[in-house]
Amino acid sequence: MGMIRVRFAPSPTGYLHVGGARTALFNWLFARKEGGKFILRIEDTDLERSSRQMSIQILKALRWLGLDWDEGPFFQSKRLKIYTGIAERLLKEGKAYHCYCTKEEIEERKNKAESEGKAWKYDRRCLNLTKQEKERFEKEGRPKAVRFIVPEGRTEFRDLVLKDIRVKNEEIEDFVLIKSDGYPTYHLSVVVDDHLMKISHVIRGADHIANTPKQIMLYKALGWSPPQFAHLPLILGADRKKLSKRHGETSLLSFKKKGYLSLAMFNFLAQLSWSPGEEKEFYEVKELVEKFSLEKVRHSNPVFDFEKLSWLNSKMISSLPVEKIWDELLPFFEKEGIKDEIGRRGEWSKRMISLVKERARNLEDLASIAKRYVRSDFEYRQDAVKKFWKKDSRERILKLKEAFAKTEPFTADETEKALRDLADKMGVKAGELIHPLRVALIGERVSPGIFEVLEILGKEEVLSRIRRAVKNWGQVLH
């Protein structure tokens, strides 16, 4: 098969969305599995819509997902002379021609054809212009484009995902290679770059399938061998329509901001149209690389299930060691204003996160939970107060405080023994002490095991938080 060389070539006209990210990921997985090269190319020849800021955001998104590139990024806007040179070659070889038709003229002819019930494609008005007509248009300074002459016959190719595809050339109009503003179209620039960059496989979304016959024609006209093509099924929303913003935020970095783990997104995107073939909740990156295969990409369009992604994210937060998620957590600690305190408390902070992460849906949620353990100036949840701070709760909490003050060592086992002994002495169930205590300590209805919470907070902090709760009891209840 030779050296595998694939590319991801986004247009910086907007943020990298999950569809583009899935394409980048499949290219990356294929390159890493086959020992090939992953090239990054920025297709920024649409000057009106492209921006440097979007290019920066795309690079950030790829890095967050964990995708590194071996070559690039290459910017098409810096390669314009190459494309115009190839277009000149096609003109000289009689495989392309100048088109002087204005947008208004084409629109008028198109509307006329449609009003007569005829299908429209460019009518080759400029293909057979006389020398005098060309000179007149040039003298007028009329803008001109370069159109490719679509040959007779048909174009066919073997797609690695969608199998055999055949198209009658007569169904395709003479398409533009160089626009009237002098900039290349997608069809020309992508073919030239893929050839010069020695791309062996073009892996992209199925929305590009209509472009492929045109590009194969260009390869043949230039005497170049086309790469192999693999078109990935389109990602759909829950309504089975192409995924878009109406289904929810779809830019990759928006998921980062919401506290999704990059590994969760990596796993989720990797399994849209492909499966590693085992029943595991999630995989390490190296496992997905080892198992990846284009031949196993499914034809059906996958649905982007936001709930499944959220479930996977929470499952990974719960299951992974704290060290695996720590770096991604830091920005959320900073957002909550506890980053410095978390840093100062070192190993205690990591033990605390290990304790509380099981209940977090995302990193934002986890940092918010952690704040209640780092700081004691939290607000008590009113639903928790109303449910668990009953008439006798204040006195029971005071007695617990006295019992805990005498408890040594202040471990989960010893605090449990102290609480249960007090419950027996008072003739109440342990829950009558545990539930109001939890609200006093962290202000919530739920938490990890209360005795583990007591141990992680430590005696002095527990006694301090109980004193705070008792002091503010009446105010909180009202």
Side-chain angles (χ1 to χ4, degrees):
M1 206 162 37
M3 169 60 78
I4 298 298
R5 291 177 60 84
V6 296
R7 48 72 168 178
F8 178 55
S11 175
T13 55
Y15 292 99
L16 179 63
H17 57 78
V18 293
R22 193 271 305 260
T23 296
L25 179 57
F26 276 39
N27 275 278
W28 187 88
L29 285 170
F30 183 61
R32 296 295 174 257
K33 170 67 180 295
E34 302 297 335
K37 301 293 184 181
F38 177 65
I39 293 102
L40 180 59
R41 187 171 75 222
I42 306 296
E43 299 189 339
D44 59 343
T45 56
D46 185 342
L47 293 187
E48 290 185 3
R49 299 172 59 222
S50 296
S51 75
R52 182 176 179 274
Q53 185 59 35
M54 285 300 103
S55 295
I56 293 172
Q57 291 299 310
I58 289 170
L59 300 186
K60 284 183 178 179
L62 291 174
R63 289 190 182 104
W64 174 69
L65 193 58
L67 305 186
D68 56 341
W69 46 93
D70 303 298
E71 298 175 21
F74 300 104
F75 290 83
Q76 286 189 331
S77 60
K78 299 183 183 299
R79 300 166 60 83
L80 299 179
K81 288 184 179 180
I82 299 174
Y83 313 130
T84 54
I86 295 296
E88 287 296 327
R89 172 185 159 184
L90 291 169
L91 285 168
K92 289 177 182 177
E93 293 176 357
K95 297 172 182 176
Y97 59 95
H98 284 123
C99 176
Y100 298 87
C101 296
T102 65
K103 289 182 180 179
E104 293 74 20
E105 290 170 340
I106 292 175
E107 191 67 26
E108 182 181 345
R109 300 204 301 270
K110 179 182 177 182
N111 292 338
K112 184 175 184 298
E114 290 177 348
S115 68
E116 296 171 354
K118 300 176 182 177
W120 162 263
K121 68 174 184 177
Y122 181 70
D123 53 13
R124 289 185 162 177
R125 176 72 59 89
C126 293
L127 177 58
N128 298 308
L129 290 175
T130 65
K131 181 181 179 181
Q132 290 76 17
E133 287 174 315
K134 292 179 182 178
E135 289 176 348
R136 176 164 58 84
F137 288 146
E138 291 287 344
K139 188 175 181 180
E140 291 174 0
R142 185 182 279 227
K144 60 185 176 184
V146 176
R147 285 186 182 269
F148 178 74
I149 301 175
V150 173
E152 295 180 355
R154 67 180 185 179
T155 300
E156 55 186 57
F157 64 98
R158 178 77 168 175
D159 191 280
L160 296 178
V161 174
L162 304 178
K163 307 310 177 187
D164 293 327
I165 295 177
R166 299 179 180 85
V167 176
K168 295 179 180 178
N169 290 1
E170 64 188 35
E171 298 173 356
I172 300 174
E173 69 176 11
D174 290 353
F175 52 92
V176 175
L177 301 177
I178 300 290
K179 295 176 287 185
S180 58
D181 62 4
Y183 282 84
T185 61
Y186 170 74
H187 300 300
L188 177 62
S189 59
V190 73
V191 166
V192 172
D193 282 343
D194 283 348
H195 172 72
L196 295 179
M197 295 177 184
K198 296 181 172 59
I199 301 302
S200 63
H201 294 72
V202 171
I203 304 169
R204 58 189 179 185
D207 49 342
H208 282 287
I209 196 73
N211 297 326
T212 309
K214 298 177 183 178
Q215 291 162 13
I216 289 176
M217 291 177 196
L218 270 176
Y219 277 106
K220 291 181 177 179
L222 291 163
W224 299 339
S225 297
Q228 294 190 62
F229 291 92
H231 288 88
L232 307 175
L234 299 180
I235 301 174
L236 306 180
D239 57 2
R240 309 296 301 182
K241 295 181 180 179
K242 185 177 178 181
L243 189 69
S244 68
K245 285 188 176 181
R246 70 175 178 274
H247 297 106
E249 183 58 68
T250 61
S251 73
L252 194 64
L253 288 179
S254 71
F255 290 94
K256 177 186 178 183
K257 292 177 182 176
K258 292 175 183 176
Y260 286 83
L261 287 171
S262 57
L263 185 58
M265 182 59 74
F266 194 108
N267 268 260
F268 184 75
L269 291 177
Q271 296 182 67
L272 287 178
S273 298
W274 173 75
S275 171
E278 296 179 24
E279 292 187 5
K280 285 180 64 174
E281 290 174 338
F282 58 86
Y283 298 80
E284 293 292 342
V285 170
K286 64 179 181 179
E287 293 181 280
L288 292 171
V289 169
E290 290 169 359
K291 296 176 181 296
F292 186 75
S293 169
L294 278 177
E295 287 73 23
K296 293 183 180 179
V297 173
R298 295 184 292 271
H299 295 188
S300 57
N301 296 324
V303 172
F304 193 95
D305 189 333
F306 287 87
E307 290 186 7
K308 183 177 180 180
L309 172 59
S310 294
W311 173 85
L312 177 62
N313 193 58
S314 63
K315 192 68 178 179
M316 292 181 76
I317 289 173
S318 172
S319 303
L320 290 171
V322 172
E323 289 73 19
K324 291 276 287 187
I325 66 175
W326 192 256
D327 288 345
E328 290 188 76
L329 252 176
L330 293 178
F332 296 94
F333 289 148
E334 186 167 14
K335 184 179 178 182
E336 289 289 345
I338 59 173
K339 185 178 178 181
D340 291 343
E341 289 155 288
I342 286 284
R344 280 197 299 271
R345 301 182 73 170
E347 285 304 312
W348 176 89
S349 296
K350 293 186 177 181
R351 287 193 294 114
M352 179 268 293
I353 292 297
S354 294
L355 177 65
V356 305
K357 66 188 178 71
E358 185 175 332
R359 296 182 180 275
R361 297 161 297 178
N362 52 57
L363 299 180
E364 186 174 49
D365 192 25
L366 180 51
S368 177
I369 294 171
K371 186 175 182 178
R372 290 178 174 268
Y373 290 78
V374 174
R375 292 184 182 175
S376 60
D377 57 349
F378 53 79
E379 291 185 6
Y380 301 92
R381 303 283 192 200
Q382 282 303 302
D383 59 339
V385 168
K386 290 177 182 178
K387 185 174 179 64
F388 295 123
W389 280 6
K390 304 299 184 182
K391 181 179 179 181
D392 300 328
S393 297
R394 185 174 184 276
E395 293 306 314
R396 291 171 180 170
I397 292 297
L398 280 170
K399 290 185 181 297
L400 256 181
K401 175 177 168 290
E402 293 174 6
F404 285 156
K406 300 173 185 176
T407 301
E408 287 293 345
F410 203 75
T411 61
D413 289 343
E414 291 301 317
T415 53
E416 180 175 6
K417 183 177 183 302
L419 184 144
R420 294 192 185 280
D421 286 348
L422 179 61
D424 289 343
K425 184 177 179 180
M426 297 175 67
V428 298
K429 294 180 178 179
E432 296 295 319
L433 299 177
I434 289 172
H435 297 309
L437 174 64
R438 178 182 291 111
V439 180
L441 295 180
I442 60 170
E444 298 272 15
R445 291 178 59 177
V446 295
S447 73
I450 190 63
F451 305 110
E452 286 74 19
V453 170
L454 286 164
E455 183 172 331
I456 200 71
L457 288 175
K459 179 189 284 191
E460 294 307 316
E461 184 67 15
V462 166
L463 298 180
S464 174
R465 291 185 181 213
I466 292 176
R467 284 194 294 271
R468 175 179 181 250
V470 170
K471 180 181 178 181
N472 293 291
W473 200 275
Q475 183 179 347
V476 171
L477 282 173
H478 296 90

